[in-house]
Each structure stands twice: as structure tokens, then as C-alpha cells.
Amino acid sequence: MWWLGGLSPRRRWYVGGMSALVAAAVLLVAGRFALARAGHGPGPAADQAAPGPVVLVPGYGGSTDGLAVLAMRFERLGRRTAIVVPPGDGTGDLRKQASALDKKVNALLHAGAPSVDVVGYSAGGVVARLWAREHDGAHKARRIVTLGSPHQGADVSAAGAALSPGACPAACQQLVPGSALLRGLGDRVGDRPEWMSIWTTRDQTVTPPESARLDGAVNVVLQDVCPDARTGHGDLPSDPLVDGIVLRALGSEPMSTPAQADCPALRTISS
């Protein structure tokens, strides 16, 4: 470095060594920040025994009607809830919707909540994944549950983008199987926070229904729990069976896959 030329050899050694140490410290801090943003940093995990508020994220189009039923059932159990209102009409960029979710979560944390649990319905589940990945959700959320979410994309989005690109807004395009956004998310979630993905084989909106499968999560097919379940995609947020599974999953006990023997009890938890 030219500016060291006027210093004595001993002084050059000292200044050069200090510069190297400072550079190393900057790289270390930057590396830790990047890891934390990716959900793998050294920050503390949420206390699994201390459930905080439940934040509910609507699906494509932003309707909150079904989630209001689930929110009411949580409130009856003494859990505080908050429903995210997506920007615009709920069909815009999913990353902006993830930012809206982060704003809601941060407000709850700043008000004293120890952490949050997140429930994402349909496209809201993909929003929850974006939030967890891009907004340090791994250190803000205790558990995340998705309902009928097109984690691998939805055929209806692909058809819409192919037949009438102008009628397929940003979120629609991002939910096309193999989109850049979905490729960036990958097929697997980490072990922090805890994840559960719930879906129904009778889903005629998110097709194939198995698009909701999420590696690394507790995967729950409704018909494996209650073979007679006739729940469709639009019924997921308010169906008593689904709500029973969600209420149990967001309790203080570890997440687990319910068995057929649990079917009658799960249908009555939320009543």
C-alpha cells in the first residue's frame, strides 16, 4: 500500500497488521449478518413452551373471511391473533406481501410478544416462506403452518400465464411451477422454526394437491387423518378438522403428524 511507504518498517508492520484485523472483523460481521438473514445465524430460537400471538396470512386475492373464523377460534382459547392485510388487492408481488407480514410481526414483537406463530393460507404459505427466508423469520417465529399452499407451484397459474399473460398478475406469475421465485425458495425448509404443511386431496384449486408437500415440514394430508374428509381448497381455513389440527400444532406440545385415531377429537377441538 503506497501510503505505508513513509513509515518505518516496524510502524508499517503495526499499521498493516491492524488493517488486516479490522478487515477480518468486518468480514466476520458481514458473514454473520448474511447467515442470520438466511435463517442460519446464531440468534436465539423462539421458546417452544411460550406461544405468542398468531399471525394469519391470506391467500391469493387477499380475502380474510375464512381466516377470521380461525382467528376467532384461537381467540376463544386465549391466543391473541392478527390478520395481515396484503398490499393492493393481494395479487401483487409476493415479496411485497412478505414485507407487509414482517411489518405486522415487528409491531407485535416491539409490543412485547416473545415470538409469533404464523398461519399461511394458500399463496399466504409461500409468503410465509419468503418472510422466513428474507426477513429473519427463523428468529421471530416459533412455528409456521401452511394450508393448501402451492409450494411447488399451481397448474392454474401456469395455465393463466400461458393463455392470457396480461391477466396473470405478479403473484400469479410467481406461482407458476418452476418460477424464479419458487426455485429460489427451494423444496425444503430448515428445522427452525418448526413447520407444518396441511392439504386436502380434494383440492381443485392448487393442483396437483401434492404441490403443498414441503420437505423438512410435518406434512399432513387431511384424508390420512379422517378418510371421509370432503374439505375443498376454499374450506381449509374454516374447516373444524383443519382448525383442530392447527390449534393443536400451535400449542405447547411438539408438532407431530396426527393419526386416524385422533380424527374425532380434532374435529371438536375448535367447537
Side-chain angles (χ1 to χ4, degrees), residues 55-63 67 84 86-87 89-99 101 118-132 144-154 156-157 169-176 179 181-182 185 195 197-199 203 205-207 211-212 214 233-234 236-237:
V55 181
L56 302 110
V57 187
Y60 186 85
S63 174
L67 290 176
V84 178
D89 61 359
T91 65
D93 190 342
L94 297 180
R95 286 193 170 87
K96 292 184 179 179
Q97 297 187 41
S99 294
L101 168 57
V118 177
V119 178
Y121 166 53
S122 194
V126 179
V127 171
R129 289 185 66 197
L130 280 168
W131 169 75
I144 299 178
V145 175
T146 67
L147 308 176
S149 295
H151 296 301
Q152 319 304 324
V156 65
S157 293
C172 168
Q173 297 176 35
Q174 290 168 331
L175 295 174
V176 172
S179 72
L181 182 141
L182 293 178
L185 282 176
W195 291 81
S197 179
I198 302 170
W199 73 93
D203 197 321
T205 300
V206 172
T207 57
S211 176
L214 189 56
H233 184 81
L236 284 167

Side-chain angles (χ1 to χ4, degrees), residues 51-267:
V54 181
V55 181
L56 302 110
V57 187
Y60 186 85
S63 174
T64 61
D65 293 346
L67 290 176
V69 175
L70 178 55
M72 178 185 65
R73 288 169 175 165
F74 270 112
E75 295 276 357
R76 283 207 301 257
L77 295 176
R79 295 288 297 275
R80 182 181 177 188
T81 63
I83 299 178
V84 178
V85 178
D89 61 359
T91 65
D93 190 342
L94 297 180
R95 286 193 170 87
K96 292 184 179 179
Q97 297 187 41
S99 294
L101 168 57
D102 193 52
K103 183 177 180 180
K104 178 71 73 175
V105 169
N106 287 339
L108 293 168
L109 296 178
H110 291 159
S115 63
V116 296
D117 289 334
V118 177
V119 178
Y121 166 53
S122 194
V126 179
V127 171
R129 289 185 66 197
L130 280 168
W131 169 75
R133 181 183 180 91
E134 299 181 358
H135 295 277
D136 199 22
H139 303 134
K140 298 176 182 178
R142 188 183 70 113
R143 298 179 183 181
I144 299 178
V145 175
T146 67
L147 308 176
S149 295
H151 296 301
Q152 319 304 324
D155 290 344
V156 65
S157 293
L163 295 176
S164 181
C168 185
C172 168
Q173 297 176 35
Q174 290 168 331
L175 295 174
V176 172
S179 72
L181 182 141
L182 293 178
R183 290 198 308 272
L185 282 176
D187 299 328
R188 185 176 184 84
V189 292
D191 56 3
R192 193 164 122 191
E194 293 190 23
W195 291 81
M196 176 178 284
S197 179
I198 302 170
W199 73 93
T200 172
T201 60
R202 299 178 67 88
D203 197 321
Q204 295 184 336
T205 300
V206 172
T207 57
E210 292 77 15
S211 176
R213 181 175 295 279
L214 189 56
D215 290 347
V218 176
N219 288 282
V220 180
V221 183
L222 293 184
Q223 285 73 20
D224 288 348
V225 182
C226 296
D228 63 342
R230 302 179 63 83
T231 313
H233 184 81
D235 305 319
L236 284 167
S238 57
D239 182 83
L241 170 60
V242 176
D243 290 357
I245 295 172
V246 175
L247 292 172
R248 180 178 289 185
L250 298 187
S252 57
E253 296 298 319
M255 275 187 173
S256 61
T257 305
Q260 282 193 22
D262 299 318
C263 175
L266 289 170
R267 280 176 161 157

